[in-house]
Amino acid sequence: MHIKASVKQKRLGMHLTVLGLLTWECLFGCPFYRILGISCPACGVTRAWLCFLHGDWSQAVSFHLFFLPMPLFIFLFAHRGTDFLPKSRFLDAFLIGFACLLALYHFGRICLPGTQ
């Protein structure tokens, strides 16, 4: 199957953007926190994965409740609308629903004392 050059460029741009953001975070810390002074919606995901990989699942969940589906969410978002993963209303609804759930969880962690 032949893929158009514009689709390849879009896909490459999305992957480079994600890689650039991850590199930025590793080198300089979270840009969201640096600019706004509050934790980002994904704050704690890296620590949660490290705890999970070391077998401390309860500590992992305490760092971030949605750390397990986060890589899937990023993968689906980055490949949405490509030949690999064509656009669909179901996929869009899933991504929007997960983003809303993540936002609610984030605001709950910010607003409720002792949940950060």
Side-chain angles (χ1 to χ4, degrees), residues 19-30:
L19 182 62
L21 289 172
L22 290 172
T23 303
W24 171 274
E25 184 171 343
C26 289
L27 294 175
F28 304 109
C30 179

Side-chain angles (χ1 to χ4, degrees), residues 32-91:
F32 196 91
Y33 182 78
R34 286 183 159 282
I35 294 169
L36 300 176
I38 57 174
S39 63
C40 73
C43 187
V45 170
T46 303
R47 289 173 286 171
W49 271 103
L50 291 173
C51 288
F52 178 78
L53 293 174
H54 283 94
D56 192 359
W57 295 6
S58 62
Q59 185 67 28
V61 171
S62 73
F63 277 124
H64 201 289
L65 186 61
F66 298 111
F67 76 97
L68 274 175
M70 191 72 71
L72 176 65
F73 174 75
I74 293 169
F75 177 83
L76 292 175
F77 180 77
H79 292 90
R80 184 181 137 267
T82 63
D83 290 339
F84 177 73
L85 194 62
K87 276 187 173 184
S88 74
R89 290 182 185 206
F90 175 75
L91 177 61

